[in-house]
Every structure is written in structure tokens, then in C-alpha cells.
DNA sequence: CACGATTGCTATACTATATAGCAGTTTAGC
DNA sequence: GCTAAACTGCTATATAGTATAGCAATCGTG
């Protein structure tokens, strides 16, 4: 006989469920991206640079909430991989651009991300689906784009 | 003149916003808990043990998604702090129980968590609020409790 | 022009999470 | 009952993500 089923007393706490949902989704996404040898943050960066070519390193860090210090090895890795290149915009700022290779990789990465996002949304009942993004944005406290 | 405002092209992706919202909420909670010298995982553990006294270490790890290997220093720290105690239930399993000190700390921690959760929900417009938990549970893929 | 703010960087540290393997123990199937 | 499989706690180790402090050079503004 299996021991009495343990109940998770935290399931009523939105903050807790938010964390668990995020962790699960992130792990899933990273697994999907593994075959492109990418992590979720890489794709976020590529998409951001594509959207704002020539964005500076510090601006990118600001948008993605990556600290200056952590941007250094992060960008260096992507540059070393040949998916982005840095360009001196003045004598302290580095502008970032996708390389041809980066753009091609991004095409594939975007497909993976799209599949992931679709899978996520599909778990939500139809009637609730339109509320997903507004609620997440509100929880993020980022209603103003 | 300020450079053209950079737009975050990821704001339409629920998975991305989920991650950002989770990270922001978690940082906020940990800050609130700092004055009790607790982290979010500590409180989760305390609440779980309170809800299921005598739960074994491995069961607790299973519910909270903490791996066996990582449970060891985690539980040791809480035990060293005198908020929980371990009890040998058979010759391999450790049952966990709150100490008196643990129960008293939990009372205060729960107030902090409640304030945090309330603050989270308050950011969501009234009409959407009832959908928060169902949506997060669905995204977690954990509809079945 | 001078001062404060910004940028990229190094070094470092801490948290969270993950894997592999081990010894002892319990459970389940035969 | 005995053996094989599964489980438990543990050590050791590795990686990812995040955080702080401080530095030198540079830029923007008053």
C-alpha cells in the first residue's frame, strides 16, 4: 500500500506556482534549444539584436536585465561563436549586430521558440488563453511597454 | 536627445514574460524574507513540513522538486538553525518535523509570504484576478493536484 | 573645462541546479 | 525465504545564473 499521498500546501499561492511554472517551462525550452546548442538567454539576445540592430551592449543588458559584469562573458561567447559581432560606436560603447551566421541560426531558433510557446499556450483552456499575456504582464508589473 | 527608445521584441512571448515575472517576484519575495534570514525555499520547506509532519526527506524533495543531492545541505542548514529536526523512521529514511522554534518562525514567515502574494495579486486587474491561479496551474501543466 | 555619469571590464562569490556514483536498506517478485 | 531491483541519504563535483565591488577610460552636461 502506498503511503498517504502527500499534498503540496503551496498550490494555492500564485507566487509559488508562478515560480514552478517558470522553472518547468524554462527547463523545457532549454531542452528544446539544446539541439541548436543554445540557451534561452542566447535566443533572447539574438532576437533583441535583430529587433534593434546596433544596440549597445549596455542597452541590451538593460532590456534583458543582465548586469554589465555578466554581459561580458555572455557576449564574448556569442561573438566567439560567430553569431554576433561587436562594433565600436564610440570609444567606450560596443554596438552589437547579428552576423550572417547569427541570422541563419536565429531562423531555426525562432522556430523552436515558437513551438515552445505554442505548447505552453495549448495547456491553457481556450477561454483563459487570451488572459495569459495580460496576467503575466501584470504580475511582472510591466503593464507599460 | 535620448536615443530612440529600445523596444523589447520578446514581450509578446508568454514564456519570456513568465520567466521575467517569476524572476521579479522571486527577487522581491527573497528581499521581504531577508529580515527573517530566510529564503523562499526555506519557507516552502517549512510550510510543507507543517502540512505533512514526519514527511521524509525524499518525499519533501519530490514535492518541492529538489534533488536528493541538494536536499542534504539544505536540510542540514535548516536543522543547524534549529527550525526542523530529523528523525530516523527506518534505517535509511529521515522524517522531518518542525521544532518549536521552527513553528514560531513559520508564523512570521507566513505573514511575509501572505503580504507578498497579496501584493502580487493586487497588480492584476480585478476582472482577471480569478484567472491567475488557474492559468498558472495550467502553464505548469499541473492541473491535477 | 570640470565633474558626474556611463561603459566595458576583471575578479570574485554565492545561489540554485545538475550529474555520477556509493553504501546501506527496503521492497517486490519468484 | 531469497535474490534482484528500487530506494534513501550522502559525497563530490560541475555548471548556470546572478550579484557586488572596484577600475580605467570615456562621454555628456552644467
Amino acid at each position: 500500500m502506498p503511503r498517504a499521498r502527500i499534498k503540496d500546501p503551496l498550490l494555492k499561492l500564485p507566487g509559488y506556482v508562478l515560480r514552478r511554472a517558470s522553472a518547468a517551462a524554462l527547463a523545457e525550452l532549454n531542452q528544446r534549444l539544446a539541439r541548436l546548442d543554445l540557451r534561452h538567454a542566447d535566443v533572447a539576445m539574438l532576437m533583441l539584436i535583430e529587433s534593434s540592430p546596433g544596440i549597445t551592449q549596455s542597452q541590451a543588458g538593460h532590456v534583458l536585465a543582465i548586469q554589465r559584469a555578466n554581459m561580458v562573458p555572455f557576449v564574448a561567447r556569442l561573438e566567439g561563436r560567430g553569431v554576433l559581432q561587436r562594433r565600436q560606436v564610440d570609444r567606450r560603447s560596443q554596438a552589437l549586430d547579428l552576423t550572417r551566421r547569427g541570422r541563419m541560426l536565429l531562423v531555426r531558433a525562432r522556430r523552436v521558440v515558437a513551438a515552445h510557446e505554442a505548447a505552453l499556450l495549448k495547456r491553457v483552456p481556450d477561454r483563459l488563453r487570451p488572459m495569459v499575456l495580460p496576467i503575466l504582464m501584470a504580475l511582472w508589473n510591466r503593464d507599460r511597454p
Side-chain angles (χ1 to χ4, degrees), chain A:
Chain A
M1 164 194 122
R3 219 159 295 144
R5 192 82 136 81
I6 302 287
K7 201 190 148 196
D8 188 338
L10 301 160
L11 296 183
K12 295 281 176 272
L13 303 181
Y16 176 75
V17 180
L18 175 65
R19 178 172 74 78
R20 296 295 300 265
S22 169
L26 203 55
E28 192 185 313
L29 175 58
N30 279 331
Q31 222 167 342
R32 285 175 187 265
L33 287 172
R35 65 187 179 83
L36 299 181
D37 194 22
L38 286 171
R39 285 165 254 171
H40 66 98
D42 300 338
V43 182
M45 179 65 97
L46 297 184
M47 292 179 68
L48 176 58
I49 297 177
E50 187 199 40
S51 156
S52 296
I55 189 175
T56 68
Q57 191 167 311
S58 82
Q59 286 175 317
H62 209 266
V63 172
L64 299 179
I66 302 175
Q67 316 225 2
R68 271 179 305 146
N70 299 327
M71 282 292 285
V72 179
F74 180 49
V75 166
R77 191 169 54 80
L78 291 175
E79 187 182 29
R81 211 174 139 177
V83 298
L84 64 79
Q85 57 188 19
R86 299 192 296 174
R87 166 172 51 90
Q88 203 91 19
V89 63
D90 55 41
R91 277 205 278 188
R92 57 178 176 177
S93 298
Q94 303 282 344
L96 305 178
D97 285 293
L98 294 186
T99 61
R100 181 169 163 68
R101 184 197 187 85
R103 276 187 296 272
M104 293 182 60
L105 183 56
L106 180 52
V107 170
R108 307 178 61 193
R110 202 194 311 278
R111 273 200 285 267
V112 174
V113 170
H116 167 69
E117 296 285 349
L120 263 189
L121 279 183
K122 207 169 145 216
R123 295 174 192 163
V124 179
D126 292 32
R127 284 185 327 106
L128 297 179
R129 215 165 287 158
M131 278 78 125
V132 170
L133 205 47
I135 282 180
L136 292 176
M137 290 291 284
L139 288 173
W140 186 17
N141 216 8
R142 245 320 208 98
D143 320 76
R144 59 234 180 266

